[in-house]
Amino acid sequence: MELEVFADVFSALYQGDDKTVEFIKKEIPDVYRAFMKIIGE
């Protein structure tokens, strides 16, 4: 399950537009921060 979430967030951030990225940051900030920590940003 966690790997699927990671893959979905990665895909959305990599291929998404600015609105998608802002949505992720606003609606699921904990997931966004954890993702960014994992990838080293």
Side-chain angles (χ1 to χ4, degrees):
M1 176 76 120
E2 292 85 6
L3 290 177
E4 186 174 336
V5 171
F6 180 88
D8 290 342
V9 171
F10 177 81
S11 179
L13 294 176
Y14 180 72
Q15 297 178 3
D17 57 21
D18 291 341
K19 288 181 182 181
T20 302
V21 174
E22 289 306 313
F23 176 83
I24 291 170
K25 287 180 179 180
K26 181 180 177 185
E27 298 299 324
I28 50 173
D30 294 339
V31 173
Y32 176 77
R33 283 191 299 273
F35 175 82
M36 297 307 284
K37 186 176 180 180
I38 290 169
I39 64 167
E41 300 255 337

